[in-house]
Amino acid sequence: MEWIDVLSKNKLFEGMKEDTIWSMLSCLGYTLKKYKKGSFVWQEESPIDAIGILISGQVQLIKDDFLGKRSIVSVINAGEMFGEAFVCAGLKNSPVCVLCSGDSEILFLKFEKILKPCQNACVFHVNLIERLMRTIAQKNVQLNGKLDYLCKRTIREKLTAYLLSEHKKQKSNPFLVDFNRNELADFLCVDRSAMSRELSKMKQQKLIDYWKNSFKIINFDQIKIL
Amino acid sequence: MEWIDVLSKNKLFEGMKEDTIWSMLSCLGYTLKKYKKGSFVWQEESPIDAIGILISGQVQLIKDDFLGKRSIVSVINAGEMFGEAFVCAGLKNSPVCVLCSGDSEILFLKFEKILKPCQNACVFHVNLIERLMRTIAQKNVQLNGKLDYLCKRTIREKLTAYLLSEHKKQKSNPFLVDFNRNELADFLCVDRSAMSRELSKMKQQKLIDYWKNSFKIINFDQIKIL
DNA sequence: AATAAACGGTTGCATTTGCAACGAAAGGAA
DNA sequence: TTCCTTTCGTTGCAAATGCAACCGTTTATT
C-alpha cells in the first residue's frame, strides 16, 4: 500500500525498511480512517486513547472559545503525528479540537500497545519509546517557539516574529505561508482586519511585500529593530 | 543527605527507595550547584547538555527581547525539572533564560547518561526513559494550557482565564498567586499598569477581590461569560 | 455561464492598551 | 529610627486594537 511510504517519513518509523514497518504495525495494531475537509477528528473533551498519524491531507489543532473565537494551536501535515503528548501525559480527553483543513487519512495507533513490550519481543519496540520521547520533546520546543510570537505585545511584532521565523525555517525569500489571512490571524491570536491593516502598513513602509500566500521580507534591518 | 528527599518527589525518581535513588545517581553521575537569587543558570543560547532538577528555591524560564521586555514562560519549583525537553529534542543551546527567583540548589544530570543503557544493566534505567517521556508530555500539556491564556485577545480575558485555572488547580477560594504584579504581567505578556488598571476595574465591578497575592473570585457567572 | 460562497482589503469608531510618570505603602538595610 | 529600594495603584495621552460593515475579487458549485 502506498501509505507505507508516508509512514517511513514519520518520526516513529523513519529509517525503517518497509517490511519492518509492516511487522511493527501488525504488532501494534492500527486503524486507518478517512475524513472530509471541515470535519472534526476530535472535539474538545473527546475521549482519546490513540496517537494519530496523518497519512494525507492536513489537520489543525484548534481551540474555540464560547464566543466562537478560534485560535489555531498548530498545524499537522502528512507524515506528522498529533495527540501523542496528550495520551502520553495521561489525558483521557483532548484539550483541543482536531479539524481537517483538507480531506485527510489518519492512522491511529493505540497508545497502550506502544508502551507495553510486545509479545514477539520485537527489537524495535524499546526503540519506539525513545523515538516517541524525542518527538514529544520536539513538539515542546515547537510550542515554545510559538510563545515567541504570542508573547509579543503588538500585532506588528507578532507578525514580524512569525515572518522572520518562517523565513528562517524555509531558508528562502520570498517564502510561502500555509495559512490564509483568516487562519494566520487565528494562529497569531489577533483580529483579521487589524492584521490586514498592519500588513498593508508594513508593505507601504517597504518592510515587507506579499502577494497571496507568498511573503517577502524587504528590509531586514528595520524589521528586526521594530 | 537531605536533598534525596526532594529527589524522591521528582517525576524521575518518585516512588523509589532512597538507596535505589543513590545507586541510580552513582550510575548516572551528577553535579550539584548553588545559585544566588537573581543569578542566571542559563542565558539564552547557553550550551546545554544536562537536565536540571531543582532541589531548593525557585527558578523561572524567561525570554527577554532586545528591548528588555520580559516574558515568563514558566516557573519551576523544588522537585521539578527544567531543560529536559530541550536537551531531549537535541537542542545544543537553550532557547530560554533560566533565572533564579530565589536562592537555589540545582542537581544536573547529563542527558547522554540517561539515554544510554548503563554498564550495570540497571533495571530502572529503561524505566527512566518512560518516566522522562511522561514528564515531557506533561510539560507539553502545561504549555498548551498556557496558550489558553495567551490566545485571549484582551487583558481582562487573559486575567480571568488565568485566575479561573488557578482557582481550579488549587481548589480553593481565595487562592494564592505565586507572582508579584510585575511577574504576573510578564507571565501574561501584558503591560503591568494596564493589568493593574484592569484588576482594579474587576474588583470595583465585584467580579473578583484581592489583597496582595491572595485572589478571590466573587462572581463566577459573570466572570465566565465575560 | 450563472450563482453562490470564500477570501482579502479598507475604514470609521469606540474601546483597550502600552507607556511614562507620579506617589503612596511596604519591606529591608544601615 | 532613618533611608533606600521595591512594589503597586493611578492617570493622562497617544497609539493600537477589535469590531462591524462594506465591497471587489477569486474560487467553487450547480
mmCIF file of all heavy atoms in Angstrom, chain B residues 118-137:
data_model
loop_
_atom_site.group_PDB
_atom_site.id
_atom_site.type_symbol
_atom_site.label_atom_id
_atom_site.label_comp_id
_atom_site.label_asym_id
_atom_site.label_seq_id
_atom_site.Cartn_x
_atom_site.Cartn_y
_atom_site.Cartn_z
ATOM 1 N N CYS B 118 22.890 1.579 31.063
ATOM 2 C CA CYS B 118 24.047 1.704 31.938
ATOM 3 C C CYS B 118 24.871 0.416 31.983
ATOM 4 O O CYS B 118 24.395 -0.659 31.637
ATOM 5 C CB CYS B 118 23.609 2.117 33.335
ATOM 6 S SG CYS B 118 22.631 0.876 34.172
ATOM 7 N N GLN B 119 26.080 0.553 32.428
ATOM 8 C CA GLN B 119 27.052 -0.545 32.459
ATOM 9 C C GLN B 119 26.565 -1.694 33.343
ATOM 10 O O GLN B 119 26.808 -2.861 33.055
ATOM 11 C CB GLN B 119 28.402 -0.028 32.988
ATOM 12 C CG GLN B 119 28.898 1.247 32.329
ATOM 13 C CD GLN B 119 28.288 2.523 32.937
ATOM 14 O OE1 GLN B 119 27.159 2.500 33.435
ATOM 15 N NE2 GLN B 119 29.017 3.623 32.863
ATOM 16 N N ASN B 120 25.885 -1.339 34.421
ATOM 17 C CA ASN B 120 25.480 -2.343 35.393
ATOM 18 C C ASN B 120 24.144 -2.996 35.038
ATOM 19 O O ASN B 120 23.537 -3.668 35.863
ATOM 20 C CB ASN B 120 25.351 -1.728 36.776
ATOM 21 C CG ASN B 120 26.338 -0.606 36.988
ATOM 22 O OD1 ASN B 120 27.346 -0.527 36.290
ATOM 23 N ND2 ASN B 120 26.052 0.264 37.932
ATOM 24 N N ALA B 121 23.672 -2.749 33.821
ATOM 25 C CA ALA B 121 22.384 -3.308 33.415
ATOM 26 C C ALA B 121 21.300 -2.983 34.442
ATOM 27 O O ALA B 121 20.494 -3.815 34.823
ATOM 28 C CB ALA B 121 22.483 -4.814 33.206
ATOM 29 N N CYS B 122 21.352 -1.747 34.892
ATOM 30 C CA CYS B 122 20.446 -1.271 35.928
ATOM 31 C C CYS B 122 18.985 -1.408 35.490
ATOM 32 O O CYS B 122 18.592 -0.945 34.434
ATOM 33 C CB CYS B 122 20.796 0.191 36.226
ATOM 34 S SG CYS B 122 19.599 1.066 37.197
ATOM 35 N N VAL B 123 18.214 -2.071 36.307
ATOM 36 C CA VAL B 123 16.822 -2.372 35.974
ATOM 37 C C VAL B 123 16.001 -1.112 35.729
ATOM 38 O O VAL B 123 15.153 -1.053 34.848
ATOM 39 C CB VAL B 123 16.140 -3.167 37.105
ATOM 40 C CG1 VAL B 123 14.774 -3.646 36.645
ATOM 41 C CG2 VAL B 123 17.020 -4.318 37.538
ATOM 42 N N PHE B 124 16.300 -0.102 36.524
ATOM 43 C CA PHE B 124 15.470 1.082 36.471
ATOM 44 C C PHE B 124 15.755 1.970 35.267
ATOM 45 O O PHE B 124 15.041 2.904 34.987
ATOM 46 C CB PHE B 124 15.643 1.909 37.743
ATOM 47 C CG PHE B 124 15.070 1.239 38.940
ATOM 48 C CD1 PHE B 124 15.862 0.495 39.794
ATOM 49 C CD2 PHE B 124 13.710 1.320 39.193
ATOM 50 C CE1 PHE B 124 15.317 -0.132 40.896
ATOM 51 C CE2 PHE B 124 13.162 0.706 40.295
ATOM 52 C CZ PHE B 124 13.966 -0.034 41.151
ATOM 53 N N HIS B 125 16.828 1.635 34.587
ATOM 54 C CA HIS B 125 17.260 2.543 33.544
ATOM 55 C C HIS B 125 16.251 2.669 32.402
ATOM 56 O O HIS B 125 15.942 3.757 31.946
ATOM 57 C CB HIS B 125 18.627 2.113 33.007
ATOM 58 C CG HIS B 125 19.471 3.269 32.654
ATOM 59 N ND1 HIS B 125 20.807 3.361 32.979
ATOM 60 C CD2 HIS B 125 19.165 4.430 32.042
ATOM 61 C CE1 HIS B 125 21.273 4.500 32.558
ATOM 62 N NE2 HIS B 125 20.301 5.162 31.982
ATOM 63 N N VAL B 126 15.737 1.541 31.948
ATOM 64 C CA VAL B 126 14.725 1.572 30.900
ATOM 65 C C VAL B 126 13.535 2.367 31.369
ATOM 66 O O VAL B 126 12.990 3.219 30.676
ATOM 67 C CB VAL B 126 14.280 0.147 30.518
ATOM 68 C CG1 VAL B 126 13.229 0.217 29.430
ATOM 69 C CG2 VAL B 126 15.467 -0.671 30.066
ATOM 70 N N ASN B 127 13.150 2.081 32.584
ATOM 71 C CA ASN B 127 12.032 2.762 33.195
ATOM 72 C C ASN B 127 12.207 4.272 33.184
ATOM 73 O O ASN B 127 11.257 5.025 33.040
ATOM 74 C CB ASN B 127 11.912 2.268 34.630
ATOM 75 C CG ASN B 127 10.523 2.454 35.180
ATOM 76 O OD1 ASN B 127 10.328 3.245 36.076
ATOM 77 N ND2 ASN B 127 9.553 1.759 34.602
ATOM 78 N N LEU B 128 13.449 4.701 33.311
ATOM 79 C CA LEU B 128 13.752 6.124 33.381
ATOM 80 C C LEU B 128 13.298 6.858 32.119
ATOM 81 O O LEU B 128 12.743 7.947 32.185
ATOM 82 C CB LEU B 128 15.272 6.296 33.565
ATOM 83 C CG LEU B 128 15.747 7.508 34.340
ATOM 84 C CD1 LEU B 128 15.077 7.568 35.686
ATOM 85 C CD2 LEU B 128 17.262 7.446 34.493
ATOM 86 N N ILE B 129 13.545 6.243 30.992
ATOM 87 C CA ILE B 129 13.159 6.874 29.735
ATOM 88 C C ILE B 129 11.652 7.047 29.654
ATOM 89 O O ILE B 129 11.152 8.080 29.226
ATOM 90 C CB ILE B 129 13.667 6.036 28.545
ATOM 91 C CG1 ILE B 129 15.194 6.047 28.541
ATOM 92 C CG2 ILE B 129 13.130 6.573 27.238
ATOM 93 C CD1 ILE B 129 15.791 5.298 27.385
ATOM 94 N N GLU B 130 10.948 6.038 30.124
ATOM 95 C CA GLU B 130 9.495 6.127 30.098
ATOM 96 C C GLU B 130 9.007 7.253 31.004
ATOM 97 O O GLU B 130 8.111 8.019 30.642
ATOM 98 C CB GLU B 130 8.913 4.789 30.545
ATOM 99 C CG GLU B 130 7.542 4.516 29.969
ATOM 100 C CD GLU B 130 7.091 3.104 30.290
ATOM 101 O OE1 GLU B 130 7.860 2.166 29.985
ATOM 102 O OE2 GLU B 130 5.999 2.958 30.859
ATOM 103 N N ARG B 131 9.622 7.377 32.156
ATOM 104 C CA ARG B 131 9.248 8.456 33.074
ATOM 105 C C ARG B 131 9.572 9.816 32.472
ATOM 106 O O ARG B 131 8.814 10.767 32.592
ATOM 107 C CB ARG B 131 9.998 8.306 34.401
ATOM 108 C CG ARG B 131 9.483 7.205 35.294
ATOM 109 C CD ARG B 131 10.459 6.909 36.407
ATOM 110 N NE ARG B 131 9.966 5.859 37.271
ATOM 111 C CZ ARG B 131 9.629 6.043 38.547
ATOM 112 N NH1 ARG B 131 9.745 7.237 39.090
ATOM 113 N NH2 ARG B 131 9.177 5.054 39.269
ATOM 114 N N LEU B 132 10.731 9.857 31.841
ATOM 115 C CA LEU B 132 11.141 11.117 31.230
ATOM 116 C C LEU B 132 10.153 11.521 30.136
ATOM 117 O O LEU B 132 9.736 12.675 30.043
ATOM 118 C CB LEU B 132 12.553 10.954 30.646
ATOM 119 C CG LEU B 132 13.259 12.216 30.198
ATOM 120 C CD1 LEU B 132 13.304 13.232 31.310
ATOM 121 C CD2 LEU B 132 14.667 11.881 29.736
ATOM 122 N N MET B 133 9.763 10.524 29.353
ATOM 123 C CA MET B 133 8.796 10.794 28.292
ATOM 124 C C MET B 133 7.504 11.345 28.861
ATOM 125 O O MET B 133 6.965 12.338 28.380
ATOM 126 C CB MET B 133 8.515 9.513 27.510
ATOM 127 C CG MET B 133 7.434 9.682 26.470
ATOM 128 S SD MET B 133 7.225 8.216 25.459
ATOM 129 C CE MET B 133 6.384 7.152 26.607
ATOM 130 N N ARG B 134 7.034 10.726 29.913
ATOM 131 C CA ARG B 134 5.776 11.166 30.507
ATOM 132 C C ARG B 134 5.900 12.591 31.052
ATOM 133 O O ARG B 134 4.991 13.411 30.892
ATOM 134 C CB ARG B 134 5.371 10.186 31.610
ATOM 135 C CG ARG B 134 4.095 10.555 32.309
ATOM 136 C CD ARG B 134 3.432 9.341 32.922
ATOM 137 N NE ARG B 134 2.889 8.451 31.911
ATOM 138 C CZ ARG B 134 3.089 7.130 31.869
ATOM 139 N NH1 ARG B 134 3.829 6.571 32.780
ATOM 140 N NH2 ARG B 134 2.546 6.404 30.919
ATOM 141 N N THR B 135 7.028 12.880 31.663
ATOM 142 C CA THR B 135 7.249 14.223 32.201
ATOM 143 C C THR B 135 7.234 15.267 31.091
ATOM 144 O O THR B 135 6.609 16.321 31.212
ATOM 145 C CB THR B 135 8.603 14.307 32.925
ATOM 146 O OG1 THR B 135 8.689 13.246 33.862
ATOM 147 C CG2 THR B 135 8.734 15.633 33.634
ATOM 148 N N ILE B 136 7.935 14.957 30.021
ATOM 149 C CA ILE B 136 7.983 15.906 28.911
ATOM 150 C C ILE B 136 6.598 16.096 28.323
ATOM 151 O O ILE B 136 6.191 17.208 27.992
ATOM 152 C CB ILE B 136 8.974 15.430 27.839
ATOM 153 C CG1 ILE B 136 10.393 15.406 28.411
ATOM 154 C CG2 ILE B 136 8.926 16.325 26.610
ATOM 155 C CD1 ILE B 136 11.424 14.860 27.460
ATOM 156 N N ALA B 137 5.855 14.998 28.238
ATOM 157 C CA ALA B 137 4.497 15.094 27.712
ATOM 158 C C ALA B 137 3.638 15.980 28.602
ATOM 159 O O ALA B 137 2.824 16.773 28.115
ATOM 160 C CB ALA B 137 3.880 13.708 27.593
#
